[in-house]
């Protein structure tokens, strides 16, 4: 009886340990910033014992090596396969499913980026699990915190599925640092192959080139709305952002009016940012826009309308003409 | 070949409503609050109707899962140009715990039943903000997915769709074989308004009723909502008098 009890206890103890797979996002050359935040989230899962990172791509050895040097990473599994060109979910999702079947992780984490959002639910459905999108907290190993209704409510959900699958909001977790110890984590082939997707083909990407920091990682974000009146006027925002090594974003109104490309959109359906300083210029502050920036440490707003809703969240509000105030700020900051 | 298109239509609290969290922290107040067709689903419906107008689609079927009120958004969809509607009835209590995994299984069953060539849904619902249903439906059907679509070039004869997608750094173009699932992003199109004559006509269009049980889909909740609360309030409202003062505040020193 004693031995049986012991066995049972050992059994329960074993099942108590959690093993997390982080699906690494990269372009075969560079690791994506959101993965650094996702690894931190994985290390914060209560009772989590190991963090394994999956690097799937084509010629992604350099990225795998970089991941192996990050703090908290225990193992890196590599799937290097030409069939993964373009990271199509039809090819990537079955690879993650095979990794799961082979290794039985308790948690699978993705970064909440366009790529993570595209692939993660496909993986979940193939494993018959209901996933959790865009988490901002992990109170216990089965429970996750996320926002709903454009950030106007915070929901805590308990997942009943045996495998917990989720995307991580990058701005809610610190970026993981490189490992201070000299020994990197083990890098090994995953022993899983990719199959060419016959049903989907990658054609091309049109990526906007910029020397400025990326929107989701920048410490300062200057964003413009309809008040900018046209695309050329955005130059004054770029000038201001450059004085602080900041990034430039936009409201949906500015994107829809064609002032700037869609990848600059901040909000419920665009990017979510939480910089040290967010300067909203000519942005009224609709619910959908606030969803993307209201966790910024300091919010400054410049708007000629004193009743604009943005002033209700702004720590520093300046009622005035943006065409006068923004160049003035740039001039003062350059001094 | 002309396509049969299934469009997912969710009834959600209107985007302009300032929501209120219930005092028992079980959810948000939905009774007596203005609801509407989820804006992204409106874009999905518009795209389907445009494909029909271009003679690329033969039939557009609107589907909504939910309590009786879900029929309101189906009537809207019919007024926008859907040919028929299917209401998958789910009692209000069960609807509270209906999750994308359930909806995707229901949509997949209906896509098979209706011999659809394309399922178009919005990229996300503005209430639960999940952004999952389209991708999960594609997985259940083993169909390819074209998510966050901002431009579609549908070629029924070649059984192929070229899709421009909105991604983090810009845009991406992919080709998917039909049958396929598409999720609509904001910039795919500008939805039309339902005209009064079309609203009247919509009342006569067919609306079928089904239950998840009819389709063999189990809607047992996979997740339990533990708590819904208000986000921490920001204390805004601090004004400065000039650009000079704005720059001088210590927060601005970078």
């Amino acid at each position: 009886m004693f031995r049986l009890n012991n066995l049972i206890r050992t059994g329960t103890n074993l099942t108590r340990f959690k093993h997390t797979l982080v699906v690494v996002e990269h372009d075969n050359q560079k690791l994506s910033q959101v993965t650094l935040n996702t690894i931190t989230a994985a290390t914060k899962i209560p009772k989590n014992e190991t963090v394994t990172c999956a690097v799937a791509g084509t010629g992604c050895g350099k990225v795998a090596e970089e991941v192996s040097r990050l703090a908290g990473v225990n193992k890196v599994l590599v799937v290097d396969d030409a069939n993964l060109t373009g990271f199509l979910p039809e090819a990537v999702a079955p690879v993650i499913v095979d990794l799961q079947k082979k290794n039985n992780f308790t948690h699978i984490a993705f970064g909440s980026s366009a790529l993570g959002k595209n692939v993660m639910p496909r993986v979940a459905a193939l494993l018959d699990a209901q996933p959790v999108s865009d988490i901002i907290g992990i109170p216990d190993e089965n429970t996750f915190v996320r926002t709903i209704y454009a950030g106007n409510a915070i929901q805590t959900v308990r997942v009943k599925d045996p495998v917990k699958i989720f995307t991580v909001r990058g701005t809610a977790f610190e970026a993981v640092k490189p490992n201070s110890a000299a020994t990197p984590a083990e890098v090994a082939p995953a022993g899983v192959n990719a199959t060419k997707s016959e049903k989907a083909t990658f054609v091309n990407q049109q990526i906007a080139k910029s020397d400025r920091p990326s929107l989701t990682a920048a410490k300062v974000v200057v964003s413009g709305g309809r008040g900018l009146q046209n695309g050329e006027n955005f130059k004054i925002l770029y000038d201001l952002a450059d004085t602080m090594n900041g990034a430039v974003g936009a409201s949906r109104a500015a994107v829809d009016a064609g002032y700037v490309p869609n990848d600059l959109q901040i909000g419920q359906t665009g990017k979510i940012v939480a910089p040290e300083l967010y300067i909203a210029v000519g942005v009224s502050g609709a619910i959908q826009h606030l969803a993307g920036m209201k966790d910024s440490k300091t919010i400054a707003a410049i708007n000629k309308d004193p009743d604009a809703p943005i002033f209700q969240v702004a720590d520093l509000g300046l009622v005035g003409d943006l065409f006068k105030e923004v160049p003035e700020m740039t001039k003062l900051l350059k001094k | 070949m002309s396509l049969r298109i299934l469009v997912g239509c969710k009834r959600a609290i209107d985007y302009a409503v300032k929501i209120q969290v219930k005092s028992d922290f079980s959810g948000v107040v939905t009774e007596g609050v203005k609801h509407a067709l989820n804006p992204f689903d409106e874009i999905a419906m518009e795209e389907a109707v445009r494909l029909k107008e271009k003679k690329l689609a033969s039939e557009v079927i609107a589907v909504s899962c939910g309590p009786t009120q879900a029929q309101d958004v189906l009537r809207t969809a019919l007024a926008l140009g859907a040919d028929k509607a299917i209401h998958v009835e789910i009692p209000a209590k069960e609807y509270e715990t209906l999750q994308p995994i359930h909806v995707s299984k229901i949509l997949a069953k209906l896509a098979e039943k209706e011999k659809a060539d394309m399922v178009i849904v919005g990229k996300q619902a503005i209430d639960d903000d999940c952004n999952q249903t389209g991708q999960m439906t594609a997985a259940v059907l083993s169909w390819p997915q074209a998510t966050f679509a901002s431009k579609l070039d549908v070629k029924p004869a070649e059984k192929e769709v070229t899709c421009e997608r909105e991604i983090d750094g810009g845009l991406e173009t992919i080709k998917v074989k039909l049958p396929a699932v598409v999720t609509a992003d904001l910039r795919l199109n500008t939805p039309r308004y339902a005209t009064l004559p079309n609203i009247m006509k919509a009342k006569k269009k067919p609306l079928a009723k089904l239950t998840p049980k009819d389709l063999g889909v189990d809607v047992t909740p996979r997740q339990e909502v533990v708590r819904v609360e208000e986000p921490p309030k920001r204390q805004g409202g601090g004004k400065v008098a000039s650009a000079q003062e704005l720059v001088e505040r210590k927060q601005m020193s970078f």
Side-chain angles (χ1 to χ4, degrees), chain A residues 25 86 88-90 112-115 117-126 128-134 143 146-161 198-208 219-220 243-244 252 255-256 262-263 265 268-271 276-277 279 287-288 293-302 306 311-319 325 328-329 332-333, chain B residues 12-13 15-19 21 28-30 40 43 99-102 104-105 123-133 135-148 150 160 162 164-179 185-187 220-232 234-247 249 251-254:
Chain A
E25 182 175 332
L88 291 164
E90 294 77 5
S112 190
S113 59
L115 187 70
K117 290 174 190 172
N118 195 20
V119 178
M120 178 280 269
R122 193 167 179 110
V123 171
L126 292 173
D128 195 29
Q130 169 57 46
V132 194
S133 291
D134 213 16
T143 312
R146 59 185 301 268
T147 65
I148 53 175
Y149 290 96
N152 287 300
I154 296 179
Q155 183 191 53
T156 304
V157 290
R158 186 173 295 127
V159 179
K160 296 173 177 175
D161 293 314
E198 301 295 339
K199 293 175 177 174
T201 324
F202 171 78
V203 180
N204 63 42
Q205 272 184 1
Q206 303 96 56
I207 301 289
K219 285 204 158 55
V220 178
T243 63
M244 294 174 283
R252 180 188 167 187
V255 175
D256 281 355
N262 64 283
D263 58 294
Q265 187 181 327
Q268 182 183 20
T269 65
K271 293 199 171 65
E276 299 283 321
L277 174 63
I279 309 176
I287 295 171
Q288 292 76 15
M293 46 64 83
K294 67 179 174 190
D295 291 328
S296 305
K297 200 161 276 170
T298 301
I299 298 172
I302 302 172
F311 287 126
Q312 288 164 24
V313 298
D315 304 289
L316 299 163
L318 175 58
V319 179
E325 306 296 352
E328 176 70 15
M329 281 175 70
L332 291 164
L333 284 162
Chain B
I13 292 184
Y15 73 94
V17 170
K18 173 101 184 67
I19 60 123
V21 171
V28 307
V29 177
T30 55
F40 288 96
I43 297 170
Q99 286 142 13
I101 193 165
H102 308 125
S104 63
K105 286 179 181 181
K123 80 159 177 181
Q124 79 191 62
I126 60 163
D127 49 9
D128 63 25
D129 281 335
C130 276
N131 194 332
Q132 297 170 354
T133 301
Q135 295 89 313
M136 296 181 83
T137 306
V140 175
L141 287 162
S142 290
W143 288 5
Q145 65 193 51
T147 54
F148 325 146
S150 58
E160 193 176 79
T162 303
E164 191 180 270
R165 307 179 53 235
E166 298 202 2
I167 58 168
D168 289 336
L171 296 167
E172 174 178 285
T173 307
I174 57 164
K175 278 184 184 176
V176 293
K177 288 272 172 224
L178 288 169
D185 213 320
L186 275 176
R187 276 161 284 277
T220 309
R222 302 299 195 86
Q223 286 176 3
E224 177 196 341
V225 174
V226 180
R227 193 179 163 88
V228 174
E229 57 205 314
E230 276 190 40
R234 273 197 90 101
Q235 285 301 328
K239 294 265 169 70
V240 292
S242 65
Q244 174 89 33
E245 197 187 331
L246 189 52
V247 169
R249 296 291 282 261
Q251 290 99 324
M252 295 286 285
S253 52
F254 281 93

Side-chain angles (χ1 to χ4, degrees), chain B residues 24-181:
Chain B
D24 65 355
F25 305 107
S26 64
V28 307
V29 177
T30 55
E31 297 83 15
V33 175
K34 188 183 173 203
H35 282 66
L37 179 55
N38 176 43
F40 288 96
D41 298 348
E42 226 177 311
I43 297 170
M45 180 52 68
E46 175 67 27
E47 197 65 16
V49 173
R50 287 186 190 189
L51 289 171
K52 197 182 169 197
E53 286 167 347
K54 286 188 221 159
K55 311 261 186 257
L56 298 168
S58 57
E59 187 164 34
V60 177
I61 307 154
V63 179
S64 191
C65 304
T68 319
Q69 295 95 317
Q71 291 182 13
D72 300 348
V73 298
L74 287 174
R75 288 292 169 204
T76 305
L78 291 166
L80 293 171
D83 299 291
K84 64 172 189 179
I86 302 172
H87 174 209
V88 181
E89 193 163 20
I90 293 155
K93 192 81 205 134
E94 273 177 43
Y95 183 64
E96 279 176 22
T97 56
L98 194 77
Q99 286 142 13
I101 193 165
H102 308 125
V103 178
S104 63
K105 286 179 181 181
I106 290 168
L107 288 178
K109 286 277 185 208
L110 285 173
E112 282 167 349
K113 193 167 173 269
E114 295 290 331
K115 299 188 174 54
D117 307 284
M118 213 168 158
V119 173
I120 314 183
V121 295
K123 80 159 177 181
Q124 79 191 62
I126 60 163
D127 49 9
D128 63 25
D129 281 335
C130 276
N131 194 332
Q132 297 170 354
T133 301
Q135 295 89 313
M136 296 181 83
T137 306
V140 175
L141 287 162
S142 290
W143 288 5
Q145 65 193 51
T147 54
F148 325 146
S150 58
K151 209 164 150 189
L152 287 184
D153 182 10
V154 181
K155 293 184 180 135
E158 286 92 338
K159 284 199 155 252
E160 193 176 79
V161 179
T162 303
C163 172
E164 191 180 270
R165 307 179 53 235
E166 298 202 2
I167 58 168
D168 289 336
L171 296 167
E172 174 178 285
T173 307
I174 57 164
K175 278 184 184 176
V176 293
K177 288 272 172 224
L178 288 169
V181 175

